[in-house]
Amino acid sequence: MNITLIGAGPRNLALLPRLIAHANQSSQATNIKIIDPFGIGGRVWRVEQDPNFLMNTVTSQLTLFTDDTIQTYAPVILGPNFYQWAKQYGIAYIQKNNFMNAESFFDEIAKINPNRFSSRALFGVYTKWFYDQLLTDLPQHIHIQFIQQSVTEVHPLASKQFNITIKDGQNFTTDEVVMALGHVDQSQSLEEINLADYAKDKQLTYVPAGHPSEANLQQIKSNEPVILRGLGLSFFDYIAKLTIGRGGKFIRNQDAELIYQPSGQEPKIIAGSRHGIPLHARGTNQKISGNGYQPRFFTPATLDHFAEQHHGEVTFDFFMKLIKKEISYKHYLNIISDLAVTWPFNAKEFLDALANSNDIDTTAHEWGLPEELIMDWDLILHPFTDATAENYQEAFISYLKWDINDAKQGNVDAPYAGAFDILRDIRSVIRHYVLTNYLNDQEYPKFLREFNPFNNIISVGPPVLRVEQMHALMQAGILTITGPQIKITTQQNQFVATDVFGNQYPAVQMVEARLHGINMSTSTNPLVQNLVKDQLISTKTYQEADGTSFEVGGAVINRTNMTLVSQQNQEIPGLRMWGVPTEGWSWFTTFSPRPNVHDKILQDAENIANTIFAKL
């Protein structure tokens, strides 16, 4: 049995011990090749990157080891989660391997906390340790080889095997292929090409969209304006690199508020986006591993019952109504749990009334909750509706301060952050909604177009520390946020950012502070391009009720066993793809494995391994 894993990030690394466990139950020789040009850990977790780039998950909620919540068909190889590894093995392993950022890693580990965020580089060290552990005491009939190269082609053979071509010209044959390619590069839009050409012609500085750790920011001149387009997670990496990375420091004043001390090497940052809405800060972690929120309303049983009554479908409107009710209920539960406040009603009766209400927010208002405590979804999703050109910066700073204060109350207790965080705990129910095909073809685009931004804004935000830094940089005058609907034009040898208010911000420097969306047909990754050319990758186009079409750029796969589906709508046995390149067809793929929560990556890994070895 020859198995090839293309990509050495968390997904394929989590799969590797499951392949070993299943192979160990067989006497047949098993050869596993794992291939990645960026090394073990893959592109996002490279140990050489700037340690200022933080993860978006706390240290105790990250693992690569399968646990007891996963249904397995071969013995489990147990091991520490990321936090446990750092405390028990991290320092010795770093000393042994003499990593470039070793001193920074020692500093991190000295103050590491299970409920705080670590650097992506340190997690990269964990991935290398994990791989080294797997190679220890391997049975003689199992052989693992790592190749630090790019795969350029995968061709099916008549023998039902696959020919693999590597960038350096190597070729070999394999029985099974599992691709976890991560966020593959995309071609630039026509607008981006024009901006890059203009910059080259006028000798301006233009940094294209891509991974922040790979961006050339040394060319950004200090004390001059630079436009950053994008306010998502990548944006926080860029501002860290342009401030802390240039010698700036954050300190806390007597009120514990974060203050920025400039180094004088920072540029004048002007940032904005089309939506113009900042991502909500993640609440300070209060959740013990495996102890997530249990929904009352948004449950598989409720969705299944609705489907039984509606010809096997669950409308998007019903789906959103349930989710908003669940979030609002947790919001009100957190509000009335404040023991310092005397409420003029019995808590149980109030919560029962909410549970039985068809309009939970109206009911909360009727029970006497003050207007400012009512969950106002319009305000949550559009917080700057009443802002003007004159007061926009002040309104944005005030909003960040409110968000910080709320998030610091915790991802269980905070009125908003504690309510929003439950979306992370009910992802399995959302996936149940997608996997059971309860959405018809007319409504699935609506789900992607409306729910994904909703989910991103309220539950996929940065650590509260990053929002504190953003607030401090605005207070210090280093960072200016434009109004929504930012548009970039060129005139008089400059880039010009224009917002909805008509404000204009000229600069000779610009950074696309974002990643491109996923689209297989426009990817510049050579392997993806060849798979598309050979019709081994397909995407899905939906016809909406108004007659328009909506293309989902992610690769179509069998969502159960990850097998690729060709452009002839045929599964390709033995050829699998999972993770980010399937985004849109799969739902929410940008996460790493979590321990003790029946994690999807860990369960998918088990299912893939079991399917492969069931053929023997």
Side-chain angles (χ1 to χ4, degrees):
M1 169 78 74
N2 295 302
I3 303 168
T4 301
L5 308 183
I6 304 175
R11 274 185 171 78
N12 274 351
L13 287 179
L15 171 60
L16 193 53
R18 302 315 305 143
L19 294 173
I20 293 171
H22 282 265
N24 206 21
Q25 296 188 144
S26 166
S27 59
Q28 180 176 334
T30 301
N31 299 299
I32 303 171
K33 288 183 172 67
I34 181 165
I35 309 172
D36 194 305
F38 297 96
I40 293 297
R43 188 175 193 175
V44 173
W45 314 108
R46 292 181 301 113
V47 297
E48 301 84 7
Q49 68 185 291
D50 190 334
N52 283 316
F53 294 152
L54 295 183
M55 303 186 68
N56 201 38
T57 304
V58 296
T59 59
S60 62
Q61 293 181 2
L62 290 158
T63 191
L64 292 173
F65 288 96
T66 296
D67 55 59
D68 293 339
T69 66
I70 305 301
Q71 182 181 6
T72 58
Y73 304 93
V76 172
I77 300 173
L78 297 175
N81 65 35
F82 176 44
Y83 171 74
Q84 293 166 339
W85 165 81
K87 296 293 287 185
Q88 297 174 22
Y89 307 104
I91 290 178
Y93 185 73
I94 293 164
Q95 288 172 333
K96 178 182 176 182
N97 287 274
N98 193 31
F99 292 110
M100 183 180 74
N101 292 318
E103 292 305 316
S104 178
F105 295 149
F106 294 147
D107 183 65
E108 273 196 76
I109 291 174
K111 55 192 178 186
I112 200 165
N113 184 297
N115 296 315
R116 293 180 186 164
F117 302 84
S118 183
S119 71
R120 294 200 287 267
L122 185 59
F123 186 76
V125 178
Y126 173 61
T127 67
K128 291 182 180 298
W129 173 89
F130 174 86
Y131 178 74
D132 289 348
Q133 290 298 112
L134 295 181
L135 299 186
T136 305
D137 298 325
L138 274 179
Q140 288 187 350
H141 69 286
I142 302 175
H143 180 257
I144 297 175
Q145 177 188 7
F146 174 68
I147 302 172
Q148 189 160 345
Q149 278 285 350
S150 297
V151 175
T152 57
E153 294 185 68
V154 175
H155 284 302
L157 302 174
S159 60
K160 296 186 179 179
Q161 296 175 302
F162 300 89
N163 185 70
I164 306 291
T165 303
I166 302 179
K167 188 177 181 180
D168 66 0
Q170 291 184 61
N171 282 271
F172 61 86
T173 301
T174 190
D175 300 299
E176 301 279 342
V177 180
V178 183
M179 296 176 284
L181 307 180
H183 203 114
V184 293
D185 291 333
Q186 299 288 317
S187 60
Q188 292 184 313
S189 68
L190 179 60
E191 179 200 21
E192 291 171 314
I193 292 171
N194 289 337
L195 289 173
D197 288 345
Y198 186 86
K200 184 177 181 180
D201 181 55
K202 304 298 183 182
Q203 296 185 315
L204 310 181
T205 300
Y206 178 77
V207 179
H211 290 266
S213 63
E214 300 169 14
N216 178 13
L217 297 183
Q218 293 180 345
Q219 61 185 314
I220 302 298
K221 296 181 177 63
S222 60
N223 299 305
E224 291 189 18
V226 58
I227 298 168
L228 269 61
R229 177 157 61 173
L231 291 175
L233 292 177
S234 292
F235 158 77
F236 292 95
D237 288 338
Y238 283 105
I239 62 171
K241 189 72 173 175
L242 292 171
T243 55
I244 307 171
R246 295 195 170 194
K249 296 179 180 179
F250 289 97
I251 62 170
R252 292 198 183 275
N253 62 16
Q254 292 181 339
D255 297 323
E257 185 176 71
L258 209 62
I259 303 295
Y260 184 67
Q261 294 182 333
S263 67
Q265 299 303 308
E266 305 87 351
K268 299 174 182 178
I269 303 171
I270 300 159
S273 69
R274 182 164 55 89
H275 292 292
I277 304 170
L279 304 179
H280 277 281
R282 294 276 302 280
T284 301
N285 187 53
Q286 298 173 306
K287 295 180 179 178
I288 300 172
S289 179
N291 187 24
Y293 176 80
Q294 298 301 313
R296 292 175 56 100
F297 316 109
F298 183 70
T299 64
T302 305
L303 295 171
D304 295 345
H305 178 72
F306 187 93
E308 290 173 3
Q309 307 298 316
H310 296 83
H311 311 290
E313 295 181 355
V314 178
T315 64
F316 177 72
D317 288 345
F318 181 75
F319 164 86
M320 281 302 295
K321 182 178 179 180
L322 273 186
I323 278 192
K324 285 184 174 180
K325 182 172 183 177
E326 195 73 65
I327 295 172
S328 288
Y329 182 86
K330 183 65 166 71
H331 167 74
Y332 297 123
L333 173 62
N334 286 357
I335 284 174
I336 68 166
S337 296
D338 185 347
L339 299 178
V341 178
T342 302
W343 299 102
F345 49 71
N346 177 277
K348 182 181 184 304
E349 291 175 358
F350 172 66
L351 293 174
D352 287 345
L354 295 181
N356 295 320
S357 173
N358 287 323
D359 187 340
I360 191 169
D361 299 317
T362 298
T363 300
H365 192 274
E366 291 171 347
W367 274 69
L369 257 67
E371 192 71 41
E372 64 270 17
L373 299 182
I374 300 299
M375 181 68 88
D376 186 336
W377 285 107
D378 286 338
L379 185 60
I380 291 297
L381 299 175
H382 307 284
F384 306 115
T385 302
D386 296 330
T388 64
E390 291 72 28
N391 70 4
Y392 193 77
Q393 298 302 304
E394 181 182 344
F396 207 102
I397 290 171
S398 296
Y399 172 85
L400 293 180
K401 183 65 174 175
W402 166 82
D403 194 39
I404 292 164
N405 291 339
D406 176 75
K408 284 187 172 182
Q409 296 179 61
N411 63 354
V412 173
D413 295 335
Y416 291 91
F420 297 157
D421 197 77
I422 71 172
L423 272 176
R424 300 177 71 240
D425 297 325
I426 60 175
R427 283 175 186 164
S428 62
V429 186
I430 300 170
R431 290 194 177 97
H432 173 75
Y433 179 55
V434 174
L435 291 172
T436 47
N437 295 313
Y438 282 158
L439 275 161
N440 63 37
D441 282 5
Q442 285 72 45
E443 290 215 312
Y444 189 64
K446 189 176 182 182
F447 168 81
L448 294 177
R449 195 166 41 232
E450 296 185 24
F451 179 69
N452 278 353
F454 171 88
N455 177 61
N456 289 340
I457 288 169
I458 70 173
S459 78
V460 191
V464 63
L465 172 63
R466 285 300 197 220
V467 179
E468 285 190 279
Q469 291 173 341
M470 184 181 182
H471 178 266
L473 290 170
M474 292 189 73
Q475 292 275 50
I478 301 294
L479 172 64
T480 298
I481 302 296
T482 75
Q485 299 178 32
I486 184 175
K487 294 181 180 179
I488 307 297
T489 56
T490 55
Q491 52 185 285
Q492 298 179 344
N493 299 331
Q494 297 181 103
F495 301 110
V496 179
T498 305
D499 64 18
V500 70
F501 302 117
N503 293 325
Q504 292 193 331
Y505 303 87
V508 297
Q509 311 179 103
M510 179 179 172
V511 177
E512 300 284 9
R514 56 198 171 85
L515 290 172
H516 287 122
I518 295 298
N519 191 326
M520 294 295 96
S521 61
T522 59
S523 173
T524 58
N525 179 286
L527 173 57
V528 171
Q529 289 180 328
N530 282 315
L531 290 169
V532 171
K533 181 188 67 176
D534 294 341
Q535 301 186 2
L536 300 176
I537 282 183
S538 62
T539 57
K540 175 80 171 179
T541 299
Y542 293 88
Q543 296 300 318
E544 300 189 69
D546 62 1
T548 59
S549 60
F550 182 90
E551 181 184 5
V552 175
V556 176
I557 60 171
N558 178 318
R559 293 182 179 125
T560 301
N561 60 25
M562 313 300 145
T563 303
L564 265 180
V565 176
S566 73
Q567 291 180 26
Q568 288 72 42
N569 199 32
Q570 298 293 317
E571 290 189 36
I572 308 167
L575 185 59
R576 294 178 173 82
M577 179 177 284
W578 61 330
V580 179
T582 71
E583 183 64 42
W585 177 256
S586 304
W587 180 76
F588 198 80
T589 56
T590 52
F591 65 100
S592 294
R594 294 174 63 191
N596 305 314
V597 294
H598 191 255
D599 181 80
K600 178 170 171 55
I601 289 177
L602 298 179
Q603 188 62 67
D604 285 345
E606 176 62 28
N607 294 342
I608 291 171
N610 186 54
T611 303
I612 287 174
F613 282 91
K615 295 179 179 181
L616 297 180

